[in-house]
Amino acid sequence: MSSYRTTSPQDLGSAEARRSSRSFLVFLAWIGAELAAYAALILVASDTAPRNCGGLCFSPRGTLILLGMMFGLFVLVGQLIIGLLLTTAFTRRRMTSLAAGSAAFFTTLVLSALVITGLAITQR
């Protein structure tokens, strides 16, 4: 008897689903690293407000938290949606899980940086 086993379409579909889920887990790990870096930045930032401030004054930590609530949450949701679509597309191109998840994260990182820069320029 031969030990050669033919692959069925169900096996190929389940293998692709496993690779896609692993790619998305790699993408989520990169998002977790991004959030951890932002949390570390908030913890390191000074919590003292500027002196002789006559109006509404925020400390650097308060400014980072305010910007995170106003813009960061929307950017993060956009990054997750686009990252899910890109991870699926990269996985279909037969990329490895690490390559697909990393490529999706860095593509969304560049896209979100371009959007934020564009918004900052138009508000000027």
Side-chain angles (χ1 to χ4, degrees), residues 18 22 26 28 36-37 52 54 60 67 72 86 98 108:
R18 281 193 309 271
R22 280 191 229 130
V26 169
L28 287 178
N52 300 329
L67 288 175
L86 285 176
L98 181 65
T108 59

Side-chain angles (χ1 to χ4, degrees), residues 1-56:
M1 298 240 316
S2 174
S3 63
Y4 178 74
R5 182 177 156 212
T6 60
T7 57
S8 66
Q10 292 85 12
D11 291 340
L12 291 176
S14 65
E16 187 171 328
R18 281 193 309 271
R19 188 172 57 236
S20 179
S21 66
R22 280 191 229 130
S23 300
F24 194 64
L25 286 176
V26 169
F27 174 75
L28 287 178
W30 279 111
I31 293 288
E34 179 183 30
L35 290 175
Y38 183 70
L41 181 65
I42 287 176
L43 291 175
V44 170
S46 172
D47 200 21
T48 58
R51 296 178 188 215
N52 300 329
C53 182
L56 182 62

